[in-house]
Amino acid sequence: MKSSITRRRLKRGHHTKRDRTMGMNIVDRIDDRVTVNQVLISVSDKSGLDEFIPALVRINPSIRIFSTGGTFGAIEKILGDAAGKHLVQVSDYTGQPETQGGLVKTLDFKIYLGILTEKYNDSHQEDLKRTGAVPIDMVVVNLYPFASTVARDGVSVEEARSNIDIGGPTMVRASAKNYLRVASVVNPSDYGAVVDALTANGGATDLALRYGLAVKAFEHTAAYDRHIADYLVKQTPECVSGCYSAS
């Protein structure tokens, strides 16, 4: 009897282990070059967009750019009459309006499916069809200026808290994780290199570029979180509670 129970437990354990292994997507097939047809752009630092955006449109005249808030307005101004052809509000794409104060803008299943989907994964491709989502080939994101905010004299803990970016780091990490297919651009200083690569590759990124950008992206989010942690650890409970009135 005990032997039979043991065998059943081992069998169940074997299936669990196998299922967990099967749940991991271990990729062995990718395209070195990926044409950039859809780009998601949401940046705090808008420097360089006036040259970067026209370059993207010039390289791929059918490119679509998804954007939010102030970035959308900046790109709309840059594109002028061409905005209607190339520019899409993220809220129009997802069908979900931004929450008050921009608290939730890009945290949406269609966005992250588009970023994380793998080209040669049939299940992922079916998910794209089922949801009407599109693969996002490049993510251009930089984050709320937390470090410069807390460097100001007299800044409150509440002001610091409100400048903690949530959607931005999530998009950066997701796109950097999927360097197999997605270019994650976090620094305007890389716009020129991206444009040069797209020009040389007929509108496509290559694996070497995407991998290098992924390294920079994770360095960017690591430094961002380090700034937040270093600031918060220095605050006292009295300093924090002094920002609020109890209900």
Side-chain angles (χ1 to χ4, degrees):
M1 183 68 175
K2 184 182 291 186
S3 177
S4 176
I5 292 172
T6 301
R7 283 198 298 271
R8 287 200 297 272
R9 285 174 176 170
L10 286 172
K11 189 176 182 181
R12 285 199 298 268
H14 173 72
H15 284 311
T16 300
K17 183 177 181 181
R18 184 178 66 185
D19 288 345
R20 286 175 180 170
T21 301
M22 291 174 66
M24 297 289 291
N25 290 330
I26 305 301
V27 175
D28 60 7
R29 181 185 179 194
I30 68 167
D31 293 338
D32 176 56
R33 294 187 178 183
V34 176
T35 300
V36 176
N37 292 312
Q38 275 90 217
V39 184
L40 175 60
I41 305 180
S42 180
V43 291
S44 177
D45 180 358
K46 297 174 179 57
S47 63
L49 288 182
D50 55 340
E51 295 182 0
F52 187 51
I53 299 301
L56 293 178
V57 172
R58 183 180 68 252
I59 293 167
N60 183 352
S62 62
I63 199 168
R64 282 203 296 171
I65 300 170
F66 299 90
S67 193
T68 63
T71 305
F72 180 93
I75 297 174
E76 186 175 39
K77 185 175 180 180
I78 291 168
L79 288 174
D81 293 340
K85 176 181 179 181
H86 299 289
L87 188 58
V88 181
Q89 280 271 18
V90 164
S91 57
D92 291 339
Y93 170 64
T94 64
Q96 298 293 332
E98 296 180 13
T99 59
Q100 187 276 327
L103 187 65
V104 179
K105 295 184 286 189
T106 56
L107 293 168
D108 185 271
F109 184 83
K110 287 178 71 173
I111 293 293
Y112 287 93
L113 177 61
I115 295 173
L116 290 165
T117 186
E118 297 155 9
K119 180 176 180 180
Y120 295 103
N121 185 312
D122 292 340
S123 178
H124 290 184
Q125 298 308 308
E126 286 300 318
D127 283 337
L128 289 175
K129 294 176 184 177
R130 174 177 59 82
T131 60
V134 297
I136 295 171
D137 310 302
M138 183 183 295
V139 171
V140 183
V141 170
N142 52 62
L143 311 177
Y144 294 169
F146 184 85
S148 59
T149 295
V150 299
R152 298 199 311 260
D153 290 337
V155 67
S156 70
V157 177
E158 172 57 19
E159 287 177 284
R161 185 196 69 84
S162 67
N163 274 277
I164 296 176
D165 199 329
I166 302 301
T170 308
M171 286 188 290
V172 170
R173 287 175 57 82
S175 56
K177 175 182 178 177
N178 201 19
Y179 62 79
L180 308 177
R181 192 184 55 74
V182 183
S184 183
V185 186
V186 298
N187 196 319
S189 66
D190 286 320
Y191 292 169
V194 171
V195 168
D196 289 345
L198 293 175
T199 301
N201 296 333
T205 61
D206 56 63
L207 179 60
L209 174 70
R210 296 192 302 272
Y211 188 81
L213 290 170
V215 172
K216 292 182 178 181
F218 282 115
E219 289 176 341
H220 186 58
T221 56
Y224 190 76
D225 283 341
R226 184 73 268 158
H227 283 304
I228 295 171
D230 287 347
Y231 172 80
L232 293 178
V233 78
K234 295 175 183 176
Q235 311 310 310
T236 65
E238 293 77 19
C239 183
V240 175
S241 62
C243 293
Y244 313 102
S245 59
S247 59

